[in-house]
Amino acid sequence: KVDTTTAGTDNDETHAWLERAVRHHPIEHPLVLQLGGNDPESLSRATEYASSVHRRTGGGGAFCGINLNCGCPSVESGGADYGATLMRDGRSTRHLLEAMKMKASSGLHLPVSVKCRIGIVENYGAHSDETTQEFPEASYEPLAEWVHEITKTGAVDGGLVVHARTAVLSGLSPVKNRHVPPLRYDLVERLADDFPGLDICLNGGVAGVQH
């Protein structure tokens, strides 16, 4: 989460930690830096830092994009104020993306993308046996409305990576969040049809290139 890791970027010790954190081998390319947070200023500063790495290397050996995490459930991302919880409010999420986009567009351009789910469930406690048959049915309309809201000002120019499962914010472990909610590839396909100008990548349950 960038709210804390970027708070002291003027501090030599924190700066050295950040340098180590973003260091990677060229064999890992292409590589996108994913950020988690809900504070525009912190995300802006983190994006600015990533952009500075990009500029220092002339684009080589740096990241090829910035991604906002809107897909990890709170039990996995370490708090209830970012990750998949950002799918509660498209307008607030768009403001975060606009702040990131402003810094990502300075100097050498870094595209901004989003990782999300097909929707959210606040609490799974009412389901005792954790079977996909009992899981609440995902609805397309809230997903489409959220995507429209976050993309309408052009802040998302790096596309959307959609994990085709609902995220459970409470009552389901991180591991079970990756397999208990049923896969709904059809919702992602419909999203791609309705947003032809947006690069949409399907994620979740893909076992290999032949899947």
Side-chain angles (χ1 to χ4, degrees), residues 85-94 120 146 149-150:
T85 60
L86 296 180
M87 295 192 71
R88 288 173 176 156
D89 185 353
R91 183 180 179 185
S92 296
T93 303
R94 174 167 54 81
I120 57 174
W146 184 79
E149 182 63 39
I150 68 169

Side-chain angles (χ1 to χ4, degrees), residues 71-76 79-80 82-88 119-124 166-172 177:
C72 286
S74 58
V75 290
E76 181 171 10
Y82 69 109
T85 60
L86 296 180
M87 295 192 71
R88 288 173 176 156
I120 57 174
V121 170
E122 294 290 339
N123 195 300
Y124 194 58
T166 300
V168 180
L169 303 184
S170 178
L172 202 63
N177 247 296

Side-chain angles (χ1 to χ4, degrees), residues 106-179:
S106 60
L108 293 171
H109 174 69
L110 284 175
V112 175
S113 61
V114 172
K115 172 73 180 293
C116 67
R117 297 279 185 123
I118 58 171
I120 57 174
V121 170
E122 294 290 339
N123 195 300
Y124 194 58
H127 302 270
S128 57
D129 64 357
E130 296 181 346
T131 62
T132 59
Q133 287 76 16
E134 293 190 7
F135 201 86
E137 187 73 14
S139 176
Y140 176 74
E141 285 70 24
L143 171 63
E145 291 172 5
W146 184 79
V147 170
H148 171 72
E149 182 63 39
I150 68 169
T151 61
K152 67 182 183 181
T153 60
V156 180
D157 61 347
L160 209 64
V161 180
V162 186
H163 186 154
R165 287 187 172 93
T166 300
V168 180
L169 303 184
S170 178
L172 202 63
S173 72
V175 172
K176 290 176 180 177
N177 247 296
R178 290 192 286 270
H179 69 82

Side-chain angles (χ1 to χ4, degrees), residues 9-32:
T9 49
D10 294 331
N11 177 280
D12 289 342
E13 183 177 347
T14 304
H15 183 78
W17 181 88
L18 285 170
E19 288 288 329
R20 291 194 299 272
V22 301
R23 189 179 303 150
H24 55 274
H25 195 279
I27 200 173
E28 298 178 73
H29 289 185
L31 189 64
V32 173

